[in-house]
Amino acid sequence: MLTLQIILGSVREGRGGAAVARWFEEAAQRDARFRTELVDLKALALPLMDEPNHPRLARYTHEHTKRFSHIIDRADAYVFVTTEYNFGIPGALKNALDYLAQEWKGKPMSIISYGGISGALRAAEDLRRVGVALNMVPLNHNVVAPLYRQQCDEAGHFSPNPTQIEAARDMLDALAEWGAMLRERRMRLEPAGTVTAATGP
Ligand SMILES: Cc1cc2nc3c(=O)[nH]c(=O)nc-3n(C[C@H](O)[C@H](O)[C@H](O)COP(=O)(O)O)c2cc1C
């Protein structure tokens, strides 16, 4: 079984991202190939990146970073749920990505983007580029929710349309395939686990 983390990147009061993430979390939980975890950046409340060493050294000095490293390290695949703020990814999400390095490395990522008419596609492109910088493997299996508010009821429940349901199914299939393949690769290259503190200066 693969550990699939759903990373919710918006943290503001009244965020709509929680409804979108909840829908996908429930869909993923019904899939026996995955152990699903929701990683809510609002609950984690990471400060602005404050580590003195480059994250690739994994020499963390703060408890919040060690805790976050431990969470992200155990995943085999990621789904980022992101909106778009001024054509880019939310600051809290970029901040969280910047905290770590080895933990993200060599794992597949997909994106659920939601927002206005553009469905936050510019942010999704942004996020894929950051994913490449962190040595993740961005998949071409994603879900887009333009004008997503029209799919939310007053109780904050998101109702996916048939296109989104099918895209989510395809995304889970791709994550299962790539997640297993890349886990096998990581085990071969790093049998003792992913994060190793570097010994350099
Ligand atoms: C600071 C800010 C900037 C925004 N910029 C964009 C944007 O560039 N493109 C877009 O489609 N929607 C934009 N929106 C609207 C968001 O898509 C919408 O508010 C969405 O609910 C934000 O996700 P959240 O509720 O999870 O924070 C912006 C909203 C905020 C608060």
Side-chain angles (χ1 to χ4, degrees), residues 41-117:
L41 298 184
K42 186 177 173 69
L44 285 172
L46 289 165
L48 282 177
M49 212 294 239
D50 56 357
E51 286 291 339
N53 303 310
H54 193 291
R56 69 170 172 260
L57 300 173
R59 279 215 219 103
Y60 305 129
T61 61
H62 297 297
E63 276 313 307
H64 54 254
T65 316
K66 292 176 190 169
R67 210 165 34 242
F68 189 48
S69 164
H70 183 69
I71 292 169
I72 297 303
D73 192 48
R74 65 176 176 244
D76 297 302
Y78 305 107
V79 170
F80 293 93
V81 178
T82 190
T83 187
E84 179 170 277
Y85 292 156
N86 300 312
F87 296 6
I89 61 175
L93 178 55
K94 180 63 165 59
N95 185 53
L97 285 157
D98 291 341
Y99 254 100
L100 308 175
Q102 297 182 40
E103 296 83 345
W104 304 114
K105 187 175 165 184
K107 300 175 185 178
M109 61 170 272
S110 285
I111 299 168
I112 301 176
S113 63
Y114 64 94
I117 189 77

Side-chain angles (χ1 to χ4, degrees), residues 22-31 168 172:
R22 207 175 307 121
W23 154 62
F24 182 72
E25 185 185 13
E26 284 169 14
Q29 279 169 343
R30 288 193 294 273
D31 192 320
L172 286 167

Side-chain angles (χ1 to χ4, degrees), residues 160-183:
N161 61 35
T163 307
Q164 290 156 346
I165 291 171
E166 194 182 333
R169 213 180 298 131
D170 289 348
M171 189 165 91
L172 286 167
D173 285 348
L175 288 164
E177 183 183 349
W178 283 89
M181 219 154 55
L182 291 173
R183 179 167 68 180

Side-chain angles (χ1 to χ4, degrees), residues 8 10-12 14-18 83-88 114-120 122 148-149:
L8 173 52
S10 80
V11 300
R12 69 186 184 88
R15 62 196 170 155
T83 187
E84 179 170 277
Y85 292 156
N86 300 312
F87 296 6
Y114 64 94
I117 189 77
S118 73
R122 289 162 294 220
Y148 82 104
R149 285 277 183 202

